Amino acid sequence: MLVDEEINAALIRELCSGRKLKESLEKRREIEAAAEARRMREAKSILGKPIGTVPDYEYYTVGGKYGMECWDNREFVRDFFKSQSHLKAGNI
């Protein structure tokens, strides 16, 4: 009985630390993406001004939820950057 409790406690610690690692990695990627968006605000290109940046994890998660074609929808992208203004570099 004591061994089962120790195994359960070890499993809970492992799951919690894995979740914390995932959350900290996501936060780091979001901070990096926001920094890239700030740099993009100053960018000049013959192709036009960039509208923003999306972290890979979020790009694929949102695409998996709504379908990858959601990123081709101008209104969807506009709404996404409204809710994630720190990732926005320009207007769409």
Side-chain angles (χ1 to χ4, degrees):
M1 193 77 110
L2 184 60
V3 173
D4 288 338
E5 290 175 11
E6 290 176 11
I7 291 173
N8 286 340
L11 180 60
I12 290 170
R13 281 193 306 275
E14 182 67 27
L15 290 172
C16 289
S17 66
R19 186 187 74 225
K20 288 179 185 177
L21 174 64
K22 181 182 174 202
E23 289 171 355
S24 65
L25 288 174
E26 287 174 13
K27 181 73 172 170
R28 182 174 149 234
R29 285 190 291 260
E30 190 163 327
I31 290 169
E32 290 171 356
E36 184 179 348
R38 281 192 300 278
R39 287 190 300 273
M40 285 178 161
R41 289 182 187 121
E42 307 301 320
K44 293 186 171 102
S45 170
I46 59 171
L47 300 175
K49 190 167 178 86
I51 59 168
T53 184
V54 181
D56 290 344
Y57 178 80
E58 191 159 0
Y59 177 83
Y60 290 109
T61 301
V62 170
K65 184 175 182 180
Y66 299 110
M68 292 307 284
E69 62 277 354
C70 70
W71 295 111
D72 297 329
N73 182 318
R74 188 179 186 94
E75 292 299 316
F76 177 86
V77 173
R78 183 178 288 135
D79 289 342
F80 174 82
F81 282 115
K82 272 186 188 175
S83 67
Q84 304 291 326
S85 61
H86 62 288
L87 300 176
K88 184 178 174 186
N91 293 328
I92 180 171

